[in-house]
Amino acid sequence: MRAREWAVAAAFGDPAEYDVPVLPTWRVERGDDGDLAFASSDRDEPFITAKRPVRVRR
């Protein structure tokens, strides 16, 4: 739900003006085997990883 709130608020200006929290800064890492990991910029360990990510259509 936060993603929708941020997207709507960003469409009409600065999200902070609508009391929507600031998005965190993430670091994206890719391994040699195609692994994918997301880590917070202030932490070393990733908070989510995918060993074999696949492309999907919505």
Side-chain angles (χ1 to χ4, degrees), residues 24-29 37-47:
T25 304
W26 294 347
R27 194 174 72 244
V28 179
E29 301 172 354
F38 292 95
S40 180
S41 62
D42 58 351
R43 299 180 77 184
D44 290 334
E45 289 292 315
F47 60 87

Side-chain angles (χ1 to χ4, degrees), residues 2 4 7 10 14 16 20 22 24 27 32-33 35 39 52:
R2 289 274 184 209
R4 182 177 295 165
D14 183 16
V20 176
V22 177
R27 194 174 72 244
D32 294 334
D33 297 334
D35 299 352
R52 290 180 302 230

Side-chain angles (χ1 to χ4, degrees), residues 2-20:
R2 289 274 184 209
R4 182 177 295 165
E5 289 176 10
W6 192 91
V8 170
F12 295 100
D14 183 16
E17 294 174 3
Y18 301 100
D19 295 326
V20 176

